[in-house]
Amino acid sequence: MRRLARRTLLDSPVSRVGWLFATAVGLAIGVPLSTGRVRVVDGLVVCSGLPRWVFRRGGTCVGSVYLTRDNDGPRVLRHERVHVEQWRRYGMLMPVLYAVAGRDPLRNRFEVEAGLEDGGYR
């Protein structure tokens, strides 16, 4: 039963639907609020020029959309592309799992997996 649930929810058609939904939410937030460029970099939609209340730290990834003010250098985008893969794997479980992993980026397994240095945490 547990394996069936895991197979159904993780890295599955169900998780991909969640990732697509999250991407739609990211676009609905990022495109209208962006005062900077909106561009696609290796499959990552980068919305820049957003107000700081939209995200914590330097930016946030929602599905395949990266929301930021101006933190969009190549290393950060490499870090955010890993988060896109995490969204694909976990779908709408991603926000819950991320919250459970904790606010400390140095101990948050999703940030560690994405690369602390690329994310600007070291």
Side-chain angles (χ1 to χ4, degrees):
M1 178 80 159
R2 190 173 174 176
R3 288 183 95 155
L4 177 62
R6 180 175 285 226
R7 212 173 356 165
T8 302
L9 295 175
L10 304 180
D11 207 13
S12 70
V14 172
S15 66
R16 283 182 184 58
V17 167
W19 158 66
L20 290 171
F21 175 77
T23 298
V25 170
L27 289 170
I29 294 168
V31 172
L33 292 177
S34 181
T35 62
R37 288 188 342 164
V38 175
R39 66 192 196 280
V40 179
V41 180
D42 295 329
L44 177 67
V45 180
V46 180
C47 296
S48 59
L50 276 80
R52 295 208 186 275
W53 59 262
V54 173
F55 53 87
R56 294 182 40 211
R57 301 184 187 122
T60 194
C61 185
V62 181
S64 287
V65 182
Y66 177 54
L67 308 170
T68 188
R69 182 164 199 79
D70 56 10
N71 187 28
D72 58 357
R75 291 182 70 181
V76 170
L77 296 185
R78 181 171 54 217
H79 173 92
E80 297 304 326
R81 280 192 296 276
V82 175
H83 288 318
V84 170
E85 294 306 314
Q86 293 166 343
W87 272 99
R88 279 191 191 126
R89 177 167 166 70
Y90 298 108
M92 290 309 294
L93 289 175
M94 181 65 181
V96 174
L97 296 172
Y98 189 95
V100 169
R103 294 176 70 147
D104 179 1
L106 302 179
R107 293 175 179 244
N108 181 304
R109 70 186 194 95
F110 297 100
E111 295 299 342
V112 170
E113 182 181 327
L116 294 173
E117 287 185 23
D118 284 348
Y121 297 115
R122 289 197 174 161

